[in-house]
């Protein structure tokens, strides 16, 4: 009786290992497809991505310049408030 139980257990473990292996292979296949699509999208839109990055860099520079001007203006107004008192 012990031999039959052991054999059934071995068959169940083997079948579950086979099911898990199939699931992992499907998962890897779908992940590969997603990565391939991402590469295609990036390759197709590479020029636009570079333009966007350059635009963001120029916007950041302009924002820094504006903030510097605003800081100078606020410091000047603080001086006038001090003189006014």
């Amino acid at each position: 009786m012990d031999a039959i139980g052991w054999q059934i257990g071995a068959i169940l473990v083997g079948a579950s290992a086979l099911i898990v292996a199939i699931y992992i292979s499907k998962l890897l296949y779908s992940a590969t497809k997603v990565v391939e699509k991402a590469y295609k999208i990036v390759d197709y839109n590479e020029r636009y991505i570079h333009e966007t990055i350059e635009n963001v860099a120029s916007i950041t520079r302009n924002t820094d310049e504006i903030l510097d001007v605003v800081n100078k203006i606020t410091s000047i107004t603080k001086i006038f408030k001090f003189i006014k008192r």
Side-chain angles (χ1 to χ4, degrees):
M1 195 71 166
D2 284 336
I4 294 173
W6 180 84
Q7 290 173 350
I8 292 173
I11 290 173
L12 289 176
V13 168
S16 63
L18 181 65
I19 291 170
V20 168
I22 290 170
Y23 178 74
I24 289 174
S25 66
K26 282 182 155 182
L27 181 69
L28 289 175
Y29 180 75
S30 64
T32 303
K33 288 291 184 185
V34 168
V35 170
E36 286 176 2
K37 285 183 182 180
Y39 280 141
K40 285 181 184 178
I41 290 171
V42 169
D43 286 342
Y44 183 74
N45 294 318
E46 187 172 3
R47 181 175 56 122
Y48 300 116
I49 292 170
H50 287 296
E51 288 177 2
T52 303
I53 290 171
E54 290 172 3
N55 287 339
V56 169
S58 70
I59 290 171
T60 305
R61 270 187 261 113
N62 291 338
T63 305
D64 287 339
E65 291 173 5
I66 291 170
L67 287 175
D68 288 339
V69 170
V70 168
N71 284 334
K72 289 176 183 177
I73 291 173
T74 54
S75 65
I76 290 173
T77 57
K78 286 179 184 177
I79 291 172
F80 285 132
K81 284 183 182 179
F82 179 73
I83 293 172
K84 196 175 187 181
R85 288 184 182 174

